[in-house]
Amino acid sequence: AHGSYGAADTGERWQNAYSIDRFFNAVDAVNANGTPTCRINAVAVTESERVHLRHRAGEVLEREIGDVTEAIEMYREALSGHSGYGPSIDALMRITRNPDHRTRAAEIVEPLLREQRRFDDLVQLLEQGLESITDPLERRTELQHLAEVHERGRSNARDAFAALSRA
């Protein structure tokens, strides 16, 4: 079965192995706390490569190592190189559903959603945040912000009214 791979498969596997090797060389240093540190700037030539490697490091930290706090920071670093990098924005949106990490992930992703006019995602983020607000005045203020997004961002007066009626 090993010999049945075509030349294209072999080339693709070689490229994948090379990419994985570069990635692990970028994150193989460990600080005193045992957390991987990155030397991405040393191995990535272009800003696009640095963004991708930072995002990939975030994925490994989040999914393989279980260090969501460090993963959030790695996604933030990826977005500092390219604020519209969809995979990192999507990862932070996913993390906002985790109550333990919601606040930090939301602090990073909310301004980007506004800047990029991703109003449907912003509505989702604001709705998630409402679940944890117990102070009536703070809840009312957030519902007013949500109504503004519906009205000005999404041009949806009905949803804006519905948000205000919940205030």
Side-chain angles (χ1 to χ4, degrees):
H2 180 60
S4 66
Y5 290 110
D9 291 334
T10 303
E12 184 177 330
R13 286 185 308 151
W14 176 256
Q15 181 63 35
N16 288 343
Y18 175 72
S19 296
I20 290 169
D21 182 59
R22 286 182 66 203
F23 170 73
F24 282 108
N25 283 331
V27 296
D28 67 352
V30 176
N31 68 17
N33 298 327
T35 303
T37 59
C38 288
R39 298 186 311 244
I40 288 173
N41 290 337
V43 295
V45 176
T46 67
E47 185 63 24
S48 177
E49 287 178 333
R50 285 188 286 276
V51 166
H52 177 73
L53 285 175
R54 286 181 180 122
H55 174 80
R56 183 68 183 114
E59 286 180 329
V60 170
L61 286 163
E62 179 187 1
R63 295 179 180 167
E64 305 299 324
I65 297 173
D67 190 343
V68 178
T69 301
E70 286 298 317
I72 290 170
E73 290 309 307
M74 200 55 61
Y75 294 137
R76 182 192 58 74
E77 286 185 28
L79 290 164
S80 72
H82 177 22
S83 64
Y85 192 65
S88 290
I89 290 174
D90 294 343
L92 288 170
M93 285 296 293
R94 182 182 62 253
I95 291 171
T96 63
R97 292 190 293 267
N98 179 334
D100 294 336
H101 300 283
R102 183 196 185 291
T103 301
R104 179 64 182 135
E107 287 171 354
I108 297 165
V109 78
E110 183 175 348
L112 298 173
L113 295 175
R114 288 182 188 279
E115 173 187 305
Q116 295 167 20
R117 306 180 61 77
R118 291 178 58 170
F119 296 118
D120 291 338
D121 289 335
L122 183 56
V123 164
Q124 177 187 352
L125 182 69
L126 294 174
E127 286 285 357
Q128 287 173 355
L130 285 169
E131 297 169 7
S132 63
I133 298 175
T134 56
D135 177 42
L137 188 57
E138 184 181 351
R139 183 174 177 78
R140 183 172 152 206
T141 300
E142 280 302 302
L143 283 165
Q144 289 170 338
H145 291 153
L146 178 61
E148 287 177 23
V149 172
H150 280 303
E151 183 176 10
R152 293 191 181 133
R154 298 181 65 234
S155 299
N156 189 325
R158 185 174 43 163
D159 286 350
F161 180 76
L164 284 176
S165 68
R166 293 166 44 200

